[in-house]
Amino acid sequence: LIEQATIDRYYDLTLYDKNRQAFIDRAYIEREDYTERLKEIKSPTLILWGEEDAWIPVSDAKKFKAALPQAVVRIMPKTGHVPMEERPDESLEIALDFLND
């Protein structure tokens, strides 16, 4: 679903001096849990998720929805972790529909 140029760009970025180590270091950062702060968001919110996201399970979209009752959840079929790159036209249509409502 992703063009070869995008794959090449991601690969090239991994070759830059210290980028690979920075990515690894970032993966090991101990993160603070801000889940409780989600309820502070009062503005209209779009939760856009790839049904085949192998990094963050689509079931987490339900957790976001529970914390953000005013949110609109859109699950994109045949889509992984980066909908805006995998299916840019459809992602844009979903975002524009949300913004125009």
Side-chain angles (χ1 to χ4, degrees):
L1 297 174
I2 298 176
E3 294 180 4
Q4 187 61 45
T6 303
I7 294 168
D8 293 344
R9 180 170 45 94
Y10 275 95
Y11 176 76
D12 290 344
L13 287 170
T14 67
L15 300 178
Y16 286 162
D17 187 37
K18 299 187 181 182
N19 271 13
R20 182 173 293 167
Q21 189 60 49
F23 182 82
I24 292 167
D25 292 347
R26 185 171 169 240
Y28 287 104
I29 291 174
E30 193 166 322
R31 304 196 190 286
E32 203 168 329
D33 184 356
Y34 293 105
T35 307
E36 285 300 312
R37 292 181 62 190
L38 287 172
K39 63 186 172 200
E40 296 174 22
I41 299 172
K42 304 299 180 199
S43 60
T45 305
L46 172 64
I47 299 170
L48 181 62
W49 219 283
E51 184 178 55
E52 298 175 11
D53 188 333
W55 198 340
I56 303 173
V58 71
S59 60
D60 280 4
K62 293 177 186 174
K63 295 176 187 176
F64 278 91
K65 177 64 176 166
L68 301 163
Q70 81 287 3
V72 172
V73 177
R74 293 294 304 270
I75 308 297
M76 293 182 66
K78 300 178 184 173
T79 307
H81 185 66
V82 191
M84 69 292 286
E85 288 188 9
E86 296 175 41
R87 302 173 76 130
D89 294 337
E90 292 162 80
S91 295
L92 177 61
E93 184 178 331
I94 291 168
L96 290 175
D97 285 347
F98 172 77
L99 292 170
N100 289 324
D101 276 348

